[in-house]
Amino acid sequence: IELSKEAAKEGMVLLKNENNVLPLAAGSKVALFGKGTFDYVKGGGGSGDVTVAYIRNLYEGLKLQKEKISIFEELCDYYRNDIKKQYAAGAVPGMTIEPDVPAELLSKAQAYTDTAIISICRYYEREMTEKSAELFKDGDFCLSVKEKEMIDTVKASFKNVIVILNVGGMVDTSWFAYDNQIQSALLALQGGMEGGLAAAELLVGC
């Protein structure tokens, strides 16, 4: 398990880091946005799937950094409950709908911190199924309409914006590469059972 985590960390790539936003300084407070915070995709499906004892998502990885950072928990509760409901209704990891950000939670998050972490995930099978066509009108290479809305909301509300890409194939990066409102981006790939912890450790400089 430890080797798996370290391999995942070594494979991740820091795509952007303006103003040295990363690694997060000790004592930082963060607000976590995006269904990918909990809707974590560990890796392949079908013949490429692997049975594991557990999967640690980004939130769980960041919670283990509690001596270095703190998290706005109320927003996490919202995303956790939403993903649980979608899974219970039959959704699979990476094929859930990005929920709207409640205005009240957004205001509380702004009062809590000036730093937001956005998580974007993708399903492990890239063929255009009926479900993926419904979720991703322009294909899953691009952001969905709901993802764009969430990202625009976060950019307009926080000074520091960090993007985590939990993806296993090519996706569009132009939306953050040329946007000064998004300072940092980490290509976290699909890092297996400890992928969320691997990404979290990199965010805090471990």
Side-chain angles (χ1 to χ4, degrees):
I1 291 174
E2 181 65 21
L3 177 60
S4 170
K5 186 196 70 176
E6 291 304 314
K9 285 174 68 175
E10 291 189 21
M12 294 178 183
V13 181
L14 185 63
L15 300 178
K16 183 178 182 180
N17 194 30
E18 303 293 338
N19 304 322
N20 296 315
V21 170
L22 293 177
L24 293 167
S28 294
K29 295 181 178 181
V30 297
L32 307 181
F33 287 87
K35 66 186 181 66
T37 304
F38 291 92
D39 183 24
Y40 183 76
V41 183
K42 74 177 189 305
S47 62
D49 199 5
V50 176
T51 299
V52 294
Y54 61 87
I55 300 172
R56 207 185 300 275
N57 59 41
L58 182 65
Y59 168 80
E60 291 165 337
L62 287 171
K63 282 296 288 183
L64 293 175
Q65 318 307 315
K66 59 185 178 181
E67 294 182 359
K68 298 186 177 183
I69 64 170
S70 57
I71 300 169
F72 178 57
E73 293 287 351
E74 195 172 349
L75 185 60
C76 292
D77 291 340
Y78 168 73
Y79 280 112
R80 182 192 297 106
N81 292 333
D82 184 88
I83 292 304
K84 281 183 178 179
K85 290 177 182 178
Q86 292 197 53
Y87 283 173
V92 298
M95 294 293 286
T96 52
I97 299 170
E98 184 68 52
D100 295 326
V101 181
E104 181 182 359
L105 285 181
L106 179 63
S107 296
K108 289 182 177 180
Q110 287 178 288
Y112 182 81
T113 182
D114 63 358
T115 301
I117 299 176
I118 294 173
S119 295
I120 299 293
C121 66
R122 285 293 180 268
Y123 184 55
Y124 32 69
E125 304 290 353
R126 297 305 295 270
E127 75 270 13
M128 184 54 72
T129 62
E130 182 178 343
K131 182 62 176 179
S132 60
E134 177 186 341
L135 292 173
F136 305 103
K137 302 299 185 184
D138 300 316
D140 66 359
F141 176 80
C142 302
L143 294 171
S144 70
V145 172
K146 287 294 186 180
E147 286 173 336
K148 289 178 182 178
E149 291 175 356
M150 179 270 293
I151 291 166
D152 286 343
T153 296
V154 174
K155 287 194 306 180
S157 306
F158 295 87
K159 175 184 176 182
N160 302 314
V161 180
I162 300 161
V163 170
I164 308 296
L165 296 175
N166 169 214
V167 301
M170 292 185 294
V171 293
D172 178 32
T173 59
S174 61
W175 58 273
F176 63 76
Y178 308 112
D179 191 333
N180 292 331
Q181 290 180 289
I182 298 176
Q183 291 77 28
S184 299
L186 176 68
L187 177 59
L189 302 170
Q190 293 174 345
M193 62 190 292
E194 287 280 8
L197 177 57
E201 288 187 355
L202 290 179
L203 291 176
V204 299
C206 291

